[in-house]
Amino acid sequence: MSRTEEVELTNMCMICDGKGNVLVQNKKNHPTWHGWNFPGGHVEKGEYVTPSVIREMGEETGLTIENPKLCGIKEFHKTEDGKRYIVFLYVANRFSGKLKSSVEGDVFWYPLSELQQSKELIDGFEEMLPVFTSDGISEVFYTQDGDTVFC
């Protein structure tokens, strides 16, 4: 039995403004994934995970985040190719720069307390949110049967 498998690595970050708001991205240019989520992207080949989230935040938001904290992961196996897909989830509350949207979508501040109730959330985001906001949950994954598991 092989101990290796093909994996796609990505990241996502909840940037907090210290006033109860988080930075939300309205994803609009992805062929199948539309709606509100936190900004993020792929870890490039040879790139380390934490520098990848700092780079992605700069590209997608115009902000340079400092000292992002890994708060958990989300993972699943893609049905079309069976590849494992891992999203490293971060929280950052220190940043500099000027907020700007990108081709990935418009970015804006939104009250964290109201986010869960939004009808604009991207599919699966609601299930991921507790990993960002709870100290007791560090992972969410989806089984081959379609069940959602929190750890």
Side-chain angles (χ1 to χ4, degrees), residues 29-50:
N29 289 327
H30 192 279
T32 59
W33 214 41
H34 303 281
W36 293 6
N37 68 336
F38 295 141
H42 282 82
V43 179
E44 302 296 334
K45 184 176 181 177
E47 185 177 33
Y48 293 103
V49 178
T50 299

Side-chain angles (χ1 to χ4, degrees), residues 53-65:
V53 77
I54 294 169
R55 175 187 53 76
E56 284 288 349
M57 294 309 102
E59 291 174 2
E60 295 193 10
T61 72
L63 302 179
T64 301
I65 59 172

Side-chain angles (χ1 to χ4, degrees), residues 84-99:
R84 182 180 289 218
Y85 195 92
I86 299 176
V87 186
F88 294 92
L89 307 175
Y90 284 86
V91 174
N93 56 19
R94 294 181 57 198
F95 56 88
S96 60
K98 184 176 179 183
L99 187 63

Side-chain angles (χ1 to χ4, degrees), residues 35-136:
W36 293 6
N37 68 336
F38 295 141
H42 282 82
V43 179
E44 302 296 334
K45 184 176 181 177
E47 185 177 33
Y48 293 103
V49 178
T50 299
S52 77
V53 77
I54 294 169
R55 175 187 53 76
E56 284 288 349
M57 294 309 102
E59 291 174 2
E60 295 193 10
T61 72
L63 302 179
T64 301
I65 59 172
E66 299 175 31
N67 200 24
K69 299 290 183 202
L70 182 66
C71 63
I73 63 171
K74 171 185 175 178
E75 66 178 308
F76 56 93
H77 285 85
K78 289 176 130 179
T79 54
E80 62 272 8
D81 60 10
K83 186 187 301 184
R84 182 180 289 218
Y85 195 92
I86 299 176
V87 186
F88 294 92
L89 307 175
Y90 284 86
V91 174
N93 56 19
R94 294 181 57 198
F95 56 88
S96 60
K98 184 176 179 183
L99 187 63
K100 66 176 177 128
S101 296
S102 72
V103 296
E104 295 288 333
D106 297 328
V107 289
F108 53 93
W109 296 105
Y110 196 81
L112 177 59
S113 62
E114 297 175 22
L115 193 57
Q116 188 83 27
Q117 291 78 34
S118 173
K119 302 287 188 234
E120 303 296 325
L121 298 178
I122 210 161
D123 287 342
F125 185 79
E126 234 178 288
E127 296 164 337
M128 208 176 3
L129 196 54
V131 180
F132 289 102
T133 59
S134 171
D135 289 335

